[in-house]
Amino acid sequence: MKKFLSMAFALVIALSLTGCGDNTAEKTVEKTVKNTPDYSQKSSWYQIPEITKDVDTFYILATEYMGFDEGAPNYAAMDEPEMVESAPFQYATNASAFEESTNVFLPFYRQSSLKYAGEVWRRDGNGDAALSGIPYEDITAALDYYFENYNNGRPFILASHSQGSAISKLVLKKYFKEHPEYYSRMVAAYVIGYAVTKDDLDANPHLKFASGESDTGVIISWNTEGKGNVENNVKTCVLYPNAISINPLNWKLDGTYAPTSENLGSLMLNEEQTQFVIGDVGADAQVIPERGVILTNAQIEPMPPELAAVATEFFGPDGRHESDYTFYYNNIKANVAKRIATFKAGK
């Protein structure tokens, strides 16, 4: 999996640095303005699943649009190749963790480019201003359509990664506060790869952070890092003061160390790089409460220098951002099933 993750990250950045087909900046700007999503159209969704389960997942994509080309717009068009062509990678590595227990819905949206979100983060200290307009408006439009046409009253999970999780926080704070009838059916929100902070909770008393492995109606969140980031207190674009992380192996909030023996399996590619398998990549986990992250000793394959520079700029020299899901894949799957069982038992 380490090699696959590096390849996938390299792919999206390489596409952004070299250009994508004949998609000029001028064409992309026009698409961004005119291509407002219509969620009644299947083309606005990566997946509208066949309904085979009695619980859904609404998954919000992480950043797939880099936007480093000269003149590239700040927001992706709905048919932006970087986003559309990379979505299967993210579904396989992240969203698929929910498909055993739920029907997974996954919309496209006009997401912020990594370049623009980074500019806003450096200017404001967080990326909210890049996400609270077009991306949030698209996702809430998708949620409106989902609840009115697809959900049919089923319990649901909100899940996401990175930029998707930043938008999930806005959804939790604003959209579900405005729609308590939906919020009451939320099994849990897996807001992974973007900091949920004590300040977020204090300012929004309707929100609760998970306290264990089976509570419901709660937020589950973590950011994974290696020792270099933790020991040097490195600033990253997904971590903020007073952040909270829960340990995805022992589901504790304190610093209790969880060895690899508690890891039920990480997602990885086989030796031939042809199919996904579950294996052991040495992913242990320990909450570092004062930083609000998960520290792991698991390593990732080094990236080429030009790609490593981009990753370092946004996620630190020893980040594990791209592995937030895959390192703990089977534990996430098991936890989803457990929280659903608890939710159903409470009803």
Side-chain angles (χ1 to χ4, degrees):
M1 192 61 218
K2 293 183 287 186
K3 182 177 289 186
F4 173 76
L5 289 172
S6 295
M7 287 170 59
F9 192 75
L11 172 66
V12 292
I13 294 180
L15 285 171
S16 70
L17 294 175
T18 59
C20 302
D22 64 352
N23 196 38
T24 64
E26 288 76 19
K27 288 181 181 179
T28 307
V29 169
E30 184 177 345
K31 288 178 183 177
T32 302
V33 172
K34 294 184 178 181
N35 196 5
T36 303
D38 177 357
Y39 289 105
S40 69
Q41 301 298 310
K42 290 185 178 179
S43 59
S44 293
W45 299 80
Y46 172 73
Q47 179 164 284
I48 302 170
E50 178 184 357
I51 304 304
T52 60
K53 312 292 196 306
D54 54 6
V55 178
D56 294 343
T57 290
F58 186 99
Y59 183 90
I60 307 176
L61 282 167
T63 309
E64 299 290 0
Y65 171 53
M66 301 295 109
F68 288 118
D69 287 336
E70 185 176 354
N74 292 337
Y75 295 98
M78 285 293 284
D79 56 356
E80 167 58 50
E82 288 183 65
M83 178 176 65
V84 174
E85 294 169 9
S86 298
F89 285 101
Q90 192 173 151
Y91 186 91
T93 58
N94 295 8
S96 65
F98 301 91
E99 67 181 6
E100 187 172 288
S101 295
T102 71
N103 314 298
V104 181
F105 291 81
L106 199 161
F108 290 118
Y109 65 99
R110 293 172 295 173
Q111 58 183 225
S112 170
S113 70
L114 182 62
K115 179 178 182 291
Y116 179 57
E119 291 171 354
V120 172
W121 162 57
R122 285 185 286 272
R123 183 193 72 197
D124 298 347
N126 64 66
D128 287 355
L131 310 177
S132 59
I134 288 173
Y136 175 74
E137 291 166 4
D138 283 2
I139 288 298
T140 55
L143 282 164
D144 283 344
Y145 195 85
Y146 160 74
F147 282 118
E148 292 167 8
N149 296 276
Y150 293 138
N151 176 256
N152 292 321
R154 289 185 296 274
F156 69 94
I157 285 170
L158 180 68
S160 52
H161 188 241
S162 199
Q163 177 174 164
S165 288
I167 298 169
S168 283
K169 283 211 313 180
L170 295 174
V171 167
L172 287 161
K173 291 177 180 180
K174 298 170 62 178
Y175 184 84
F176 285 137
K177 187 175 182 179
E178 296 163 0
H179 294 282
E181 73 278 15
Y182 300 153
Y183 188 50
S184 65
R185 302 203 304 272
M186 190 185 79
V187 175
Y190 288 79
V191 185
I192 298 172
Y194 197 86
V196 174
T197 70
K198 296 174 184 176
D199 301 321
D200 291 326
L201 302 178
D202 289 344
N204 298 275
H206 65 289
L207 302 181
K208 298 183 295 180
F209 200 88
S211 60
E213 65 179 353
S214 60
D215 43 348
T216 63
V218 296
I219 300 170
I220 298 102
S221 181
W222 64 81
N223 281 284
T224 315
E225 297 188 319
K227 288 183 179 179
N229 273 21
V230 173
E231 291 176 351
N232 294 292
N233 198 28
V234 172
K235 184 178 181 180
T236 81
C237 68
V238 294
L239 186 65
Y240 301 112
N242 296 316
I244 313 169
S245 281
I246 193 167
N247 191 314
L249 298 186
N250 61 24
W251 304 104
K252 294 182 179 180
L253 296 168
D254 62 20
T256 303
Y257 175 70
T260 56
S261 60
E262 295 185 42
N263 193 317
L264 301 177
S266 302
L267 190 68
M268 57 190 298
L269 283 175
N270 60 7
E271 291 184 4
E272 295 77 25
Q273 304 286 294
T274 57
Q275 64 181 14
F276 289 105
V277 296
I278 297 298
D280 181 2
V281 299
D284 54 356
Q286 183 176 18
V287 175
I288 307 299
E290 59 272 21
R291 184 167 168 81
V293 300
I294 297 298
L295 172 63
T296 186
N297 290 299
Q299 299 299 309
I300 55 174
E301 183 176 287
M303 298 178 187
E306 65 276 15
L307 303 179
V310 176
T312 296
E313 177 183 359
F314 289 96
F315 307 115
D318 204 13
R320 300 289 184 273
H321 183 68
E322 69 273 29
S323 304
D324 283 324
Y325 272 87
T326 55
F327 277 174
Y328 309 112
Y329 186 83
N330 265 6
N331 291 77
I332 296 171
K333 285 179 63 176
N335 187 251
V336 168
K338 185 166 290 188
R339 291 188 196 275
I340 288 173
T342 301
F343 185 90
K344 290 179 178 179
K347 297 297 180 182

